[in-house]
Amino acid sequence: MRVLISVDMEGIAGVVDRADIAPGSPEWALAREWMTDEASAAVRGVLAFDQDAEVLVCDAHAKYRNILPQRLDRRARLVRGTPRPQDMLTGIDSAVDAVCLIGYHGRAGTAESVLAHTISGAVISSVRIDGTTLGEIGLSAALAAHYGAVPVLVSGDDTVAAEAEDVAPGIRAVVVKWARGGHAAENLHPAVASERIEQAVPEALAARASVRPPRFAGPVDLEVDVRRPEMTERALLIPGMERRGPSTLGFSGLGLPESYGLVGVIADLAGIP
């Protein structure tokens, strides 16, 4: 068995504020430890299910240099650094059997959800594939399913659990904190959060046949709403990119993996001052 573990930071137990996730801040230094420990818990869970499994951990926050390599379970391999293909799910291919999404957050616009956004909170307000609005949970689940991998588990706050069940019915959710607003939560102790993830992963892998992830066949239609009309200008220099509204960009005809990658390109281009 080959399992990819994608690890974001906003959904980690204890993380509630932008200072917690901003590289270089004292709070971020602590959050890196919590993030690494939750990743290691997921690794242990995979290997408890299949001691011969190959486990790839993908650092999926900011510039993808947050997980502490020396603190991560030594039996996993770590993907870190950027730029890279497939962004938050680098390493996904037809050889991957299952995907775990650790420390994920709600999509942009989710009320009372801790640090909710989609790809770039400063730039993007919505992403749609074939008319379906997807956040990072949905985009990652859809990309995994495209390659035949099952998104079996997600961890984060209680709004994450609700979103995950909506986009991928049957996925196992581990709630490590309960949102009390966009920058507040009732958190499990980090050690307890890790314990719950470790316990849930084998159960999620055993029940992977019951998950129904989003699937998009063939070329898809991508729409991205940015925060302000002027943010569309650089992205419109891409051949084939369309303006579909004052702040809406559209692109048709690409496959899901290419469209997934294009969202990141739009976020980068639109964010240039």
Side-chain angles (χ1 to χ4, degrees), residues 83-107:
R84 66 194 195 198
Q86 300 160 317
D87 292 317
M88 298 179 73
L89 234 61
T90 298
I92 188 68
D93 59 25
S94 59
V96 175
D97 299 292
V99 170
C100 297
L101 310 175
I102 302 297
Y104 268 56
H105 52 79
R107 66 175 170 247

Side-chain angles (χ1 to χ4, degrees), residues 257-270:
E258 294 78 18
S259 296
Y260 173 92
L262 188 56
V263 176
V265 173
I266 290 171
D268 289 343
L269 291 175

Side-chain angles (χ1 to χ4, degrees), residues 131-217:
T132 300
T133 301
L134 298 172
E136 292 173 28
I137 297 168
L139 290 168
S140 295
L143 187 61
H146 174 84
Y147 286 100
V150 182
V152 296
L153 179 139
V154 63
S155 71
D157 70 24
D158 53 324
T159 71
V160 163
E163 180 180 333
E165 179 59 27
D166 180 57
V167 300
I171 191 172
R172 178 68 181 269
V174 180
V175 176
V176 300
K177 57 189 175 187
W178 290 261
R180 299 292 182 256
H183 299 271
E186 178 182 336
N187 297 270
L188 293 177
H189 187 282
V192 175
S194 291
E195 288 170 1
R196 294 195 180 181
I197 290 169
E198 182 176 354
Q199 292 166 0
V201 168
E203 298 169 359
L205 289 169
R208 61 189 183 277
S210 64
V211 181
R212 302 188 302 281
R215 297 183 185 276
F216 300 93

Side-chain angles (χ1 to χ4, degrees), residues 62-83:
K63 298 300 183 182
Y64 308 148
R65 299 194 308 271
N66 309 276
I67 289 174
L68 299 166
Q70 76 280 8
R71 191 179 178 101
L72 183 67
D73 190 301
R74 64 188 300 169
R75 296 170 293 179
R77 290 189 292 172
L78 174 64
V79 179
R80 69 193 303 262
T82 186

